[in-house]
Amino acid sequence: MAALAAIDQEKNWSSTHTRGARRLIEGVLETDPEISAGHLIEANGLWPDPITLYVLGRFQCRRRDYEAAVSTLEMLEAARGRVYHLFFPGLVALGRLELAQALAALSRPEESLRLYKQVLDGWGLRAPRCSITKRARTGYWAQITKEEREHD
């Protein structure tokens, strides 16, 4: 229940950052997708840090709002230097996987393949059994297979 303790703590030391973090937590914990969407969008407006961008982009992908997901996840991609410096570096790869999925859904296969390949180039040899690598490999080959079917 650390998340709930963080929400209570935010009430004592309120700032734009803490309000954004609280809304992000509330959005993740909320079971109603419409309310969750509102919280996540508000969190992004208050404090669009890489974690917020990833969570919002993933949420948008799951709701099949691919245009919004691309916009959100491109902001995460633009912040990759900050991610590498201050956050878990795998967040860049996870964001690229979500972005590749959204681009594929929007019939932008070249861009999708490029992102899958970037993840495979960065993670494939060093962590071949990692879930990030497996997911990139699956997405890459699914996209290649789809392209071959469309050209036949």
Side-chain angles (χ1 to χ4, degrees):
M1 290 291 135
L4 297 178
I7 291 171
D8 287 338
Q9 185 177 12
E10 186 275 329
K11 292 175 185 172
N12 296 326
W13 294 291
S14 187
S15 70
T16 303
H17 182 207
T18 59
R19 284 193 309 274
R22 185 189 81 225
R23 278 301 191 208
L24 177 64
I25 292 167
E26 290 171 344
V28 169
L29 295 176
E30 179 59 56
T31 57
D32 182 318
E34 294 305 316
I35 295 172
S36 182
H39 289 331
L40 294 175
I41 290 168
E42 185 178 350
N44 190 51
L46 288 165
W47 198 260
D49 74 341
I51 293 171
T52 302
L53 292 170
Y54 173 72
V55 170
L56 177 59
R58 183 175 167 87
F59 179 82
Q60 291 164 330
C61 276
R62 297 302 169 269
R63 295 192 72 195
R64 293 183 164 83
D65 187 357
Y66 297 116
E67 291 286 347
V70 167
S71 177
T72 300
L73 293 165
E74 283 177 340
M75 287 188 281
L76 175 60
E77 181 68 19
R80 69 183 177 277
R82 185 168 175 236
V83 174
Y84 287 134
H85 183 68
L86 298 172
F87 296 87
F88 166 59
L91 192 57
V92 171
L94 291 169
R96 285 178 176 167
L97 291 173
E98 294 295 330
L99 182 54
Q101 178 185 340
L103 290 168
L106 293 172
S107 299
R108 293 166 60 182
E110 296 84 13
E111 295 168 87
S112 176
L113 282 170
R114 179 183 53 80
L115 289 166
Y116 282 129
K117 184 144 178 37
Q118 283 178 339
V119 173
L120 288 171
D121 288 347
W123 288 73
L125 293 176
R126 290 185 214 99
R129 295 184 190 162
C130 175
S131 64
I132 290 173
T133 306
K134 290 177 182 177
R135 193 170 154 206
R137 194 176 302 116
T138 300
Y140 181 83
W141 286 111
Q143 194 65 35
I144 290 287
T145 304
K146 182 179 177 187
E147 286 293 302
E148 288 175 354
R149 285 191 310 256
E150 290 174 0
H151 282 68
D152 287 339

mmCIF file with all atom_site columns, all heavy atoms in Angstrom, residues 110-126:
data_model
loop_
_atom_site.group_PDB
_atom_site.id
_atom_site.type_symbol
_atom_site.label_atom_id
_atom_site.label_alt_id
_atom_site.label_comp_id
_atom_site.label_asym_id
_atom_site.label_entity_id
_atom_site.label_seq_id
_atom_site.pdbx_PDB_ins_code
_atom_site.Cartn_x
_atom_site.Cartn_y
_atom_site.Cartn_z
_atom_site.occupancy
_atom_site.B_iso_or_equiv
_atom_site.pdbx_formal_charge
_atom_site.auth_seq_id
_atom_site.auth_comp_id
_atom_site.auth_asym_id
_atom_site.auth_atom_id
_atom_site.pdbx_PDB_model_num
ATOM 1   N N   . GLU A 1 110 ? 7.075  0.602   -42.160 1.00 0.00 ? 110 GLU A N   1
ATOM 2   C CA  . GLU A 1 110 ? 8.513  0.882   -42.204 1.00 0.00 ? 110 GLU A CA  1
ATOM 3   C C   . GLU A 1 110 ? 9.000  1.454   -40.880 1.00 0.00 ? 110 GLU A C   1
ATOM 4   O O   . GLU A 1 110 ? 10.043 1.050   -40.364 1.00 0.00 ? 110 GLU A O   1
ATOM 5   C CB  . GLU A 1 110 ? 8.847  1.858   -43.353 1.00 0.00 ? 110 GLU A CB  1
ATOM 6   C CG  . GLU A 1 110 ? 8.561  1.309   -44.736 1.00 0.00 ? 110 GLU A CG  1
ATOM 7   C CD  . GLU A 1 110 ? 7.098  1.489   -45.168 1.00 0.00 ? 110 GLU A CD  1
ATOM 8   O OE1 . GLU A 1 110 ? 6.345  2.251   -44.516 1.00 0.00 ? 110 GLU A OE1 1
ATOM 9   O OE2 . GLU A 1 110 ? 6.704  0.837   -46.149 1.00 0.00 ? 110 GLU A OE2 1
ATOM 10  N N   . GLU A 1 111 ? 8.228  2.391   -40.333 1.00 0.00 ? 111 GLU A N   1
ATOM 11  C CA  . GLU A 1 111 ? 8.595  2.993   -39.055 1.00 0.00 ? 111 GLU A CA  1
ATOM 12  C C   . GLU A 1 111 ? 8.521  1.964   -37.929 1.00 0.00 ? 111 GLU A C   1
ATOM 13  O O   . GLU A 1 111 ? 9.370  1.939   -37.040 1.00 0.00 ? 111 GLU A O   1
ATOM 14  C CB  . GLU A 1 111 ? 7.674  4.170   -38.738 1.00 0.00 ? 111 GLU A CB  1
ATOM 15  C CG  . GLU A 1 111 ? 7.812  5.325   -39.709 1.00 0.00 ? 111 GLU A CG  1
ATOM 16  C CD  . GLU A 1 111 ? 6.704  6.336   -39.533 1.00 0.00 ? 111 GLU A CD  1
ATOM 17  O OE1 . GLU A 1 111 ? 6.854  7.243   -38.684 1.00 0.00 ? 111 GLU A OE1 1
ATOM 18  O OE2 . GLU A 1 111 ? 5.680  6.202   -40.232 1.00 0.00 ? 111 GLU A OE2 1
ATOM 19  N N   . SER A 1 112 ? 7.504  1.125   -37.986 1.00 0.00 ? 112 SER A N   1
ATOM 20  C CA  . SER A 1 112 ? 7.341  0.077   -36.981 1.00 0.00 ? 112 SER A CA  1
ATOM 21  C C   . SER A 1 112 ? 8.532  -0.879  -36.997 1.00 0.00 ? 112 SER A C   1
ATOM 22  O O   . SER A 1 112 ? 9.119  -1.182  -35.957 1.00 0.00 ? 112 SER A O   1
ATOM 23  C CB  . SER A 1 112 ? 6.032  -0.670  -37.236 1.00 0.00 ? 112 SER A CB  1
ATOM 24  O OG  . SER A 1 112 ? 5.882  -1.732  -36.343 1.00 0.00 ? 112 SER A OG  1
ATOM 25  N N   . LEU A 1 113 ? 8.900  -1.336  -38.184 1.00 0.00 ? 113 LEU A N   1
ATOM 26  C CA  . LEU A 1 113 ? 10.040 -2.255  -38.308 1.00 0.00 ? 113 LEU A CA  1
ATOM 27  C C   . LEU A 1 113 ? 11.338 -1.618  -37.819 1.00 0.00 ? 113 LEU A C   1
ATOM 28  O O   . LEU A 1 113 ? 12.157 -2.277  -37.173 1.00 0.00 ? 113 LEU A O   1
ATOM 29  C CB  . LEU A 1 113 ? 10.196 -2.713  -39.761 1.00 0.00 ? 113 LEU A CB  1
ATOM 30  C CG  . LEU A 1 113 ? 9.230  -3.784  -40.219 1.00 0.00 ? 113 LEU A CG  1
ATOM 31  C CD1 . LEU A 1 113 ? 9.308  -3.972  -41.733 1.00 0.00 ? 113 LEU A CD1 1
ATOM 32  C CD2 . LEU A 1 113 ? 9.515  -5.100  -39.511 1.00 0.00 ? 113 LEU A CD2 1
ATOM 33  N N   . ARG A 1 114 ? 11.526 -0.345  -38.128 1.00 0.00 ? 114 ARG A N   1
ATOM 34  C CA  . ARG A 1 114 ? 12.736 0.359   -37.677 1.00 0.00 ? 114 ARG A CA  1
ATOM 35  C C   . ARG A 1 114 ? 12.849 0.344   -36.157 1.00 0.00 ? 114 ARG A C   1
ATOM 36  O O   . ARG A 1 114 ? 13.925 0.085   -35.596 1.00 0.00 ? 114 ARG A O   1
ATOM 37  C CB  . ARG A 1 114 ? 12.721 1.800   -38.198 1.00 0.00 ? 114 ARG A CB  1
ATOM 38  C CG  . ARG A 1 114 ? 13.931 2.624   -37.768 1.00 0.00 ? 114 ARG A CG  1
ATOM 39  C CD  . ARG A 1 114 ? 13.837 4.061   -38.251 1.00 0.00 ? 114 ARG A CD  1
ATOM 40  N NE  . ARG A 1 114 ? 12.604 4.742   -37.906 1.00 0.00 ? 114 ARG A NE  1
ATOM 41  C CZ  . ARG A 1 114 ? 12.338 5.280   -36.707 1.00 0.00 ? 114 ARG A CZ  1
ATOM 42  N NH1 . ARG A 1 114 ? 13.219 5.193   -35.737 1.00 0.00 ? 114 ARG A NH1 1
ATOM 43  N NH2 . ARG A 1 114 ? 11.191 5.882   -36.481 1.00 0.00 ? 114 ARG A NH2 1
ATOM 44  N N   . LEU A 1 115 ? 11.734 0.581   -35.479 1.00 0.00 ? 115 LEU A N   1
ATOM 45  C CA  . LEU A 1 115 ? 11.753 0.579   -34.013 1.00 0.00 ? 115 LEU A CA  1
ATOM 46  C C   . LEU A 1 115 ? 11.999 -0.811  -33.449 1.00 0.00 ? 115 LEU A C   1
ATOM 47  O O   . LEU A 1 115 ? 12.777 -0.974  -32.501 1.00 0.00 ? 115 LEU A O   1
ATOM 48  C CB  . LEU A 1 115 ? 10.446 1.169   -33.471 1.00 0.00 ? 115 LEU A CB  1
ATOM 49  C CG  . LEU A 1 115 ? 10.299 2.672   -33.674 1.00 0.00 ? 115 LEU A CG  1
ATOM 50  C CD1 . LEU A 1 115 ? 8.870  3.101   -33.438 1.00 0.00 ? 115 LEU A CD1 1
ATOM 51  C CD2 . LEU A 1 115 ? 11.249 3.426   -32.758 1.00 0.00 ? 115 LEU A CD2 1
ATOM 52  N N   . TYR A 1 116 ? 11.329 -1.826  -34.009 1.00 0.00 ? 116 TYR A N   1
ATOM 53  C CA  . TYR A 1 116 ? 11.587 -3.193  -33.546 1.00 0.00 ? 116 TYR A CA  1
ATOM 54  C C   . TYR A 1 116 ? 13.063 -3.537  -33.729 1.00 0.00 ? 116 TYR A C   1
ATOM 55  O O   . TYR A 1 116 ? 13.685 -4.141  -32.857 1.00 0.00 ? 116 TYR A O   1
ATOM 56  C CB  . TYR A 1 116 ? 10.714 -4.198  -34.313 1.00 0.00 ? 116 TYR A CB  1
ATOM 57  C CG  . TYR A 1 116 ? 9.276  -4.255  -33.857 1.00 0.00 ? 116 TYR A CG  1
ATOM 58  C CD1 . TYR A 1 116 ? 8.236  -4.143  -34.777 1.00 0.00 ? 116 TYR A CD1 1
ATOM 59  C CD2 . TYR A 1 116 ? 8.939  -4.445  -32.522 1.00 0.00 ? 116 TYR A CD2 1
ATOM 60  C CE1 . TYR A 1 116 ? 6.903  -4.208  -34.376 1.00 0.00 ? 116 TYR A CE1 1
ATOM 61  C CE2 . TYR A 1 116 ? 7.619  -4.508  -32.105 1.00 0.00 ? 116 TYR A CE2 1
ATOM 62  C CZ  . TYR A 1 116 ? 6.612  -4.393  -33.039 1.00 0.00 ? 116 TYR A CZ  1
ATOM 63  O OH  . TYR A 1 116 ? 5.300  -4.465  -32.630 1.00 0.00 ? 116 TYR A OH  1
ATOM 64  N N   . LYS A 1 117 ? 13.625 -3.143  -34.862 1.00 0.00 ? 117 LYS A N   1
ATOM 65  C CA  . LYS A 1 117 ? 15.037 -3.434  -35.134 1.00 0.00 ? 117 LYS A CA  1
ATOM 66  C C   . LYS A 1 117 ? 15.945 -2.699  -34.150 1.00 0.00 ? 117 LYS A C   1
ATOM 67  O O   . LYS A 1 117 ? 16.937 -3.266  -33.681 1.00 0.00 ? 117 LYS A O   1
ATOM 68  C CB  . LYS A 1 117 ? 15.382 -3.062  -36.571 1.00 0.00 ? 117 LYS A CB  1
ATOM 69  C CG  . LYS A 1 117 ? 16.800 -3.417  -36.951 1.00 0.00 ? 117 LYS A CG  1
ATOM 70  C CD  . LYS A 1 117 ? 16.909 -3.861  -38.366 1.00 0.00 ? 117 LYS A CD  1
ATOM 71  C CE  . LYS A 1 117 ? 18.317 -4.171  -38.803 1.00 0.00 ? 117 LYS A CE  1
ATOM 72  N NZ  . LYS A 1 117 ? 19.179 -4.799  -37.853 1.00 0.00 ? 117 LYS A NZ  1
ATOM 73  N N   . GLN A 1 118 ? 15.622 -1.463  -33.814 1.00 0.00 ? 118 GLN A N   1
ATOM 74  C CA  . GLN A 1 118 ? 16.427 -0.729  -32.835 1.00 0.00 ? 118 GLN A CA  1
ATOM 75  C C   . GLN A 1 118 ? 16.455 -1.458  -31.490 1.00 0.00 ? 118 GLN A C   1
ATOM 76  O O   . GLN A 1 118 ? 17.503 -1.549  -30.851 1.00 0.00 ? 118 GLN A O   1
ATOM 77  C CB  . GLN A 1 118 ? 15.878 0.684   -32.634 1.00 0.00 ? 118 GLN A CB  1
ATOM 78  C CG  . GLN A 1 118 ? 16.221 1.636   -33.744 1.00 0.00 ? 118 GLN A CG  1
ATOM 79  C CD  . GLN A 1 118 ? 15.615 3.016   -33.513 1.00 0.00 ? 118 GLN A CD  1
ATOM 80  O OE1 . GLN A 1 118 ? 14.655 3.184   -32.759 1.00 0.00 ? 118 GLN A OE1 1
ATOM 81  N NE2 . GLN A 1 118 ? 16.172 4.010   -34.181 1.00 0.00 ? 118 GLN A NE2 1
ATOM 82  N N   . VAL A 1 119 ? 15.307 -1.955  -31.074 1.00 0.00 ? 119 VAL A N   1
ATOM 83  C CA  . VAL A 1 119 ? 15.253 -2.685  -29.803 1.00 0.00 ? 119 VAL A CA  1
ATOM 84  C C   . VAL A 1 119 ? 16.064 -3.973  -29.910 1.00 0.00 ? 119 VAL A C   1
ATOM 85  O O   . VAL A 1 119 ? 16.854 -4.296  -29.016 1.00 0.00 ? 119 VAL A O   1
ATOM 86  C CB  . VAL A 1 119 ? 13.790 -2.981  -29.385 1.00 0.00 ? 119 VAL A CB  1
ATOM 87  C CG1 . VAL A 1 119 ? 13.750 -3.876  -28.160 1.00 0.00 ? 119 VAL A CG1 1
ATOM 88  C CG2 . VAL A 1 119 ? 13.037 -1.680  -29.126 1.00 0.00 ? 119 VAL A CG2 1
ATOM 89  N N   . LEU A 1 120 ? 15.913 -4.687  -31.003 1.00 0.00 ? 120 LEU A N   1
ATOM 90  C CA  . LEU A 1 120 ? 16.673 -5.934  -31.178 1.00 0.00 ? 120 LEU A CA  1
ATOM 91  C C   . LEU A 1 120 ? 18.174 -5.668  -31.244 1.00 0.00 ? 120 LEU A C   1
ATOM 92  O O   . LEU A 1 120 ? 18.961 -6.424  -30.667 1.00 0.00 ? 120 LEU A O   1
ATOM 93  C CB  . LEU A 1 120 ? 16.212 -6.676  -32.431 1.00 0.00 ? 120 LEU A CB  1
ATOM 94  C CG  . LEU A 1 120 ? 14.838 -7.325  -32.318 1.00 0.00 ? 120 LEU A CG  1
ATOM 95  C CD1 . LEU A 1 120 ? 14.381 -7.831  -33.683 1.00 0.00 ? 120 LEU A CD1 1
ATOM 96  C CD2 . LEU A 1 120 ? 14.850 -8.454  -31.302 1.00 0.00 ? 120 LEU A CD2 1
ATOM 97  N N   . ASP A 1 121 ? 18.569 -4.598  -31.918 1.00 0.00 ? 121 ASP A N   1
ATOM 98  C CA  . ASP A 1 121 ? 19.995 -4.269  -31.991 1.00 0.00 ? 121 ASP A CA  1
ATOM 99  C C   . ASP A 1 121 ? 20.562 -3.927  -30.620 1.00 0.00 ? 121 ASP A C   1
ATOM 100 O O   . ASP A 1 121 ? 21.704 -4.258  -30.309 1.00 0.00 ? 121 ASP A O   1
ATOM 101 C CB  . ASP A 1 121 ? 20.221 -3.091  -32.955 1.00 0.00 ? 121 ASP A CB  1
ATOM 102 C CG  . ASP A 1 121 ? 20.019 -3.470  -34.406 1.00 0.00 ? 121 ASP A CG  1
ATOM 103 O OD1 . ASP A 1 121 ? 19.948 -4.679  -34.718 1.00 0.00 ? 121 ASP A OD1 1
ATOM 104 O OD2 . ASP A 1 121 ? 19.913 -2.543  -35.244 1.00 0.00 ? 121 ASP A OD2 1
ATOM 105 N N   . GLY A 1 122 ? 19.770 -3.268  -29.799 1.00 0.00 ? 122 GLY A N   1
ATOM 106 C CA  . GLY A 1 122 ? 20.240 -2.868  -28.476 1.00 0.00 ? 122 GLY A CA  1
ATOM 107 C C   . GLY A 1 122 ? 20.167 -3.960  -27.425 1.00 0.00 ? 122 GLY A C   1
ATOM 108 O O   . GLY A 1 122 ? 20.979 -3.995  -26.497 1.00 0.00 ? 122 GLY A O   1
ATOM 109 N N   . TRP A 1 123 ? 19.204 -4.849  -27.555 1.00 0.00 ? 123 TRP A N   1
ATOM 110 C CA  . TRP A 1 123 ? 18.963 -5.840  -26.508 1.00 0.00 ? 123 TRP A CA  1
ATOM 111 C C   . TRP A 1 123 ? 19.204 -7.280  -26.943 1.00 0.00 ? 123 TRP A C   1
ATOM 112 O O   . TRP A 1 123 ? 19.436 -8.148  -26.107 1.00 0.00 ? 123 TRP A O   1
ATOM 113 C CB  . TRP A 1 123 ? 17.520 -5.725  -26.015 1.00 0.00 ? 123 TRP A CB  1
ATOM 114 C CG  . TRP A 1 123 ? 17.269 -4.504  -25.197 1.00 0.00 ? 123 TRP A CG  1
ATOM 115 C CD1 . TRP A 1 123 ? 17.179 -3.224  -25.639 1.00 0.00 ? 123 TRP A CD1 1
ATOM 116 C CD2 . TRP A 1 123 ? 17.102 -4.439  -23.793 1.00 0.00 ? 123 TRP A CD2 1
ATOM 117 N NE1 . TRP A 1 123 ? 16.945 -2.370  -24.594 1.00 0.00 ? 123 TRP A NE1 1
ATOM 118 C CE2 . TRP A 1 123 ? 16.889 -3.089  -23.453 1.00 0.00 ? 123 TRP A CE2 1
ATOM 119 C CE3 . TRP A 1 123 ? 17.090 -5.405  -22.776 1.00 0.00 ? 123 TRP A CE3 1
ATOM 120 C CZ2 . TRP A 1 123 ? 16.688 -2.676  -22.146 1.00 0.00 ? 123 TRP A CZ2 1
ATOM 121 C CZ3 . TRP A 1 123 ? 16.870 -4.984  -21.469 1.00 0.00 ? 123 TRP A CZ3 1
ATOM 122 C CH2 . TRP A 1 123 ? 16.677 -3.629  -21.168 1.00 0.00 ? 123 TRP A CH2 1
ATOM 123 N N   . GLY A 1 124 ? 19.125 -7.553  -28.243 1.00 0.00 ? 124 GLY A N   1
ATOM 124 C CA  . GLY A 1 124 ? 19.140 -8.925  -28.746 1.00 0.00 ? 124 GLY A CA  1
ATOM 125 C C   . GLY A 1 124 ? 20.331 -9.758  -28.339 1.00 0.00 ? 124 GLY A C   1
ATOM 126 O O   . GLY A 1 124 ? 20.181 -10.893 -27.892 1.00 0.00 ? 124 GLY A O   1
ATOM 127 N N   . LEU A 1 125 ? 21.540 -9.217  -28.488 1.00 0.00 ? 125 LEU A N   1
ATOM 128 C CA  . LEU A 1 125 ? 22.732 -9.995  -28.159 1.00 0.00 ? 125 LEU A CA  1
ATOM 129 C C   . LEU A 1 125 ? 23.020 -10.035 -26.665 1.00 0.00 ? 125 LEU A C   1
ATOM 130 O O   . LEU A 1 125 ? 23.498 -11.035 -26.141 1.00 0.00 ? 125 LEU A O   1
ATOM 131 C CB  . LEU A 1 125 ? 23.951 -9.441  -28.911 1.00 0.00 ? 125 LEU A CB  1
ATOM 132 C CG  . LEU A 1 125 ? 23.908 -9.611  -30.426 1.00 0.00 ? 125 LEU A CG  1
ATOM 133 C CD1 . LEU A 1 125 ? 25.113 -8.929  -31.066 1.00 0.00 ? 125 LEU A CD1 1
ATOM 134 C CD2 . LEU A 1 125 ? 23.870 -11.089 -30.790 1.00 0.00 ? 125 LEU A CD2 1
ATOM 135 N N   . ARG A 1 126 ? 22.745 -8.936  -25.978 1.00 0.00 ? 126 ARG A N   1
ATOM 136 C CA  . ARG A 1 126 ? 23.048 -8.849  -24.544 1.00 0.00 ? 126 ARG A CA  1
ATOM 137 C C   . ARG A 1 126 ? 22.021 -9.559  -23.661 1.00 0.00 ? 126 ARG A C   1
ATOM 138 O O   . ARG A 1 126 ? 22.345 -10.006 -22.575 1.00 0.00 ? 126 ARG A O   1
ATOM 139 C CB  . ARG A 1 126 ? 23.148 -7.386  -24.132 1.00 0.00 ? 126 ARG A CB  1
ATOM 140 C CG  . ARG A 1 126 ? 24.365 -6.709  -24.682 1.00 0.00 ? 126 ARG A CG  1
ATOM 141 C CD  . ARG A 1 126 ? 24.464 -5.284  -24.134 1.00 0.00 ? 126 ARG A CD  1
ATOM 142 N NE  . ARG A 1 126 ? 25.036 -4.437  -25.148 1.00 0.00 ? 126 ARG A NE  1
ATOM 143 C CZ  . ARG A 1 126 ? 24.358 -3.638  -25.958 1.00 0.00 ? 126 ARG A CZ  1
ATOM 144 N NH1 . ARG A 1 126 ? 23.093 -3.526  -25.864 1.00 0.00 ? 126 ARG A NH1 1
ATOM 145 N NH2 . ARG A 1 126 ? 24.956 -2.908  -26.852 1.00 0.00 ? 126 ARG A NH2 1
#
